[in-house]
PDB file of all heavy atoms in Angstrom:
ATOM      1  N   LEU A 102     -10.317  -7.027   8.625  1.00  0.00           N
ATOM      2  CA  LEU A 102     -11.316  -7.790   9.375  1.00  0.00           C
ATOM      3  C   LEU A 102     -12.543  -6.939   9.666  1.00  0.00           C
ATOM      4  O   LEU A 102     -13.662  -7.421   9.600  1.00  0.00           O
ATOM      5  CB  LEU A 102     -10.713  -8.318  10.683  1.00  0.00           C
ATOM      6  CG  LEU A 102      -9.525  -9.268  10.532  1.00  0.00           C
ATOM      7  CD1 LEU A 102      -8.978  -9.668  11.897  1.00  0.00           C
ATOM      8  CD2 LEU A 102      -9.908 -10.502   9.727  1.00  0.00           C
ATOM      9  N   SER A 103     -12.329  -5.685  10.011  1.00  0.00           N
ATOM     10  CA  SER A 103     -13.474  -4.807  10.243  1.00  0.00           C
ATOM     11  C   SER A 103     -13.064  -3.349  10.213  1.00  0.00           C
ATOM     12  O   SER A 103     -11.922  -2.996  10.480  1.00  0.00           O
ATOM     13  CB  SER A 103     -14.170  -5.136  11.576  1.00  0.00           C
ATOM     14  OG  SER A 103     -13.293  -4.965  12.660  1.00  0.00           O
ATOM     15  N   VAL A 104     -14.021  -2.534   9.868  1.00  0.00           N
ATOM     16  CA  VAL A 104     -13.890  -1.080   9.932  1.00  0.00           C
ATOM     17  C   VAL A 104     -15.249  -0.546  10.378  1.00  0.00           C
ATOM     18  O   VAL A 104     -16.286  -0.930   9.853  1.00  0.00           O
ATOM     19  CB  VAL A 104     -13.448  -0.464   8.580  1.00  0.00           C
ATOM     20  CG1 VAL A 104     -14.387  -0.816   7.455  1.00  0.00           C
ATOM     21  CG2 VAL A 104     -13.304   1.046   8.706  1.00  0.00           C
ATOM     22  N   MET A 105     -15.227   0.295  11.401  1.00  0.00           N
ATOM     23  CA  MET A 105     -16.484   0.852  11.892  1.00  0.00           C
ATOM     24  C   MET A 105     -16.217   2.176  12.595  1.00  0.00           C
ATOM     25  O   MET A 105     -15.196   2.355  13.247  1.00  0.00           O
ATOM     26  CB  MET A 105     -17.178  -0.104  12.855  1.00  0.00           C
ATOM     27  CG  MET A 105     -18.549   0.389  13.263  1.00  0.00           C
ATOM     28  SD  MET A 105     -19.400  -0.831  14.268  1.00  0.00           S
ATOM     29  CE  MET A 105     -20.882   0.086  14.642  1.00  0.00           C
ATOM     30  N   VAL A 106     -17.173   3.082  12.447  1.00  0.00           N
ATOM     31  CA  VAL A 106     -17.109   4.400  13.061  1.00  0.00           C
ATOM     32  C   VAL A 106     -18.422   4.618  13.812  1.00  0.00           C
ATOM     33  O   VAL A 106     -19.486   4.195  13.356  1.00  0.00           O
ATOM     34  CB  VAL A 106     -16.907   5.486  11.971  1.00  0.00           C
ATOM     35  CG1 VAL A 106     -17.024   6.875  12.538  1.00  0.00           C
ATOM     36  CG2 VAL A 106     -15.562   5.302  11.292  1.00  0.00           C
ATOM     37  N   HIS A 107     -18.334   5.265  14.958  1.00  0.00           N
ATOM     38  CA  HIS A 107     -19.528   5.597  15.754  1.00  0.00           C
ATOM     39  C   HIS A 107     -20.523   6.340  14.859  1.00  0.00           C
ATOM     40  O   HIS A 107     -20.128   7.183  14.044  1.00  0.00           O
ATOM     41  CB  HIS A 107     -19.121   6.471  16.944  1.00  0.00           C
ATOM     42  CG  HIS A 107     -20.230   6.702  17.915  1.00  0.00           C
ATOM     43  ND1 HIS A 107     -21.238   7.607  17.684  1.00  0.00           N
ATOM     44  CD2 HIS A 107     -20.491   6.128  19.107  1.00  0.00           C
ATOM     45  CE1 HIS A 107     -22.074   7.603  18.697  1.00  0.00           C
ATOM     46  NE2 HIS A 107     -21.639   6.701  19.581  1.00  0.00           N
ATOM     47  N   PRO A 108     -21.819   6.063  14.993  1.00  0.00           N
ATOM     48  CA  PRO A 108     -22.816   6.709  14.131  1.00  0.00           C
ATOM     49  C   PRO A 108     -22.721   8.237  14.084  1.00  0.00           C
ATOM     50  O   PRO A 108     -22.926   8.840  13.026  1.00  0.00           O
ATOM     51  CB  PRO A 108     -24.161   6.257  14.723  1.00  0.00           C
ATOM     52  CG  PRO A 108     -23.851   4.937  15.352  1.00  0.00           C
ATOM     53  CD  PRO A 108     -22.450   5.073  15.892  1.00  0.00           C
ATOM     54  N   LEU A 109     -22.390   8.874  15.185  1.00  0.00           N
ATOM     55  CA  LEU A 109     -22.312  10.341  15.199  1.00  0.00           C
ATOM     56  C   LEU A 109     -21.067  10.869  14.478  1.00  0.00           C
ATOM     57  O   LEU A 109     -20.988  12.068  14.190  1.00  0.00           O
ATOM     58  CB  LEU A 109     -22.338  10.865  16.636  1.00  0.00           C
ATOM     59  CG  LEU A 109     -23.633  10.604  17.403  1.00  0.00           C
ATOM     60  CD1 LEU A 109     -23.520  11.087  18.838  1.00  0.00           C
ATOM     61  CD2 LEU A 109     -24.818  11.256  16.702  1.00  0.00           C
ATOM     62  N   ALA A 110     -20.108   9.988  14.178  1.00  0.00           N
ATOM     63  CA  ALA A 110     -18.882  10.411  13.494  1.00  0.00           C
ATOM     64  C   ALA A 110     -18.852   9.953  12.040  1.00  0.00           C
ATOM     65  O   ALA A 110     -17.841  10.117  11.369  1.00  0.00           O
ATOM     66  CB  ALA A 110     -17.667   9.875  14.242  1.00  0.00           C
ATOM     67  N   ARG A 111     -19.948   9.404  11.562  1.00  0.00           N
ATOM     68  CA  ARG A 111     -19.985   8.928  10.182  1.00  0.00           C
ATOM     69  C   ARG A 111     -20.150  10.099   9.211  1.00  0.00           C
ATOM     70  O   ARG A 111     -20.598  11.171   9.577  1.00  0.00           O
ATOM     71  CB  ARG A 111     -21.120   7.920  10.001  1.00  0.00           C
ATOM     72  CG  ARG A 111     -20.827   6.644  10.749  1.00  0.00           C
ATOM     73  CD  ARG A 111     -21.858   5.578  10.550  1.00  0.00           C
ATOM     74  NE  ARG A 111     -21.512   4.452  11.408  1.00  0.00           N
ATOM     75  CZ  ARG A 111     -22.388   3.579  11.864  1.00  0.00           C
ATOM     76  NH1 ARG A 111     -23.652   3.665  11.516  1.00  0.00           N
ATOM     77  NH2 ARG A 111     -21.997   2.593  12.643  1.00  0.00           N
TER      78      ARG A 111
END
Side-chain angles (χ1 to χ4, degrees):
L102 299 177
S103 61
V104 57
M105 186 175 177
V106 172
H107 188 282
L109 295 177
R111 291 183 185 154

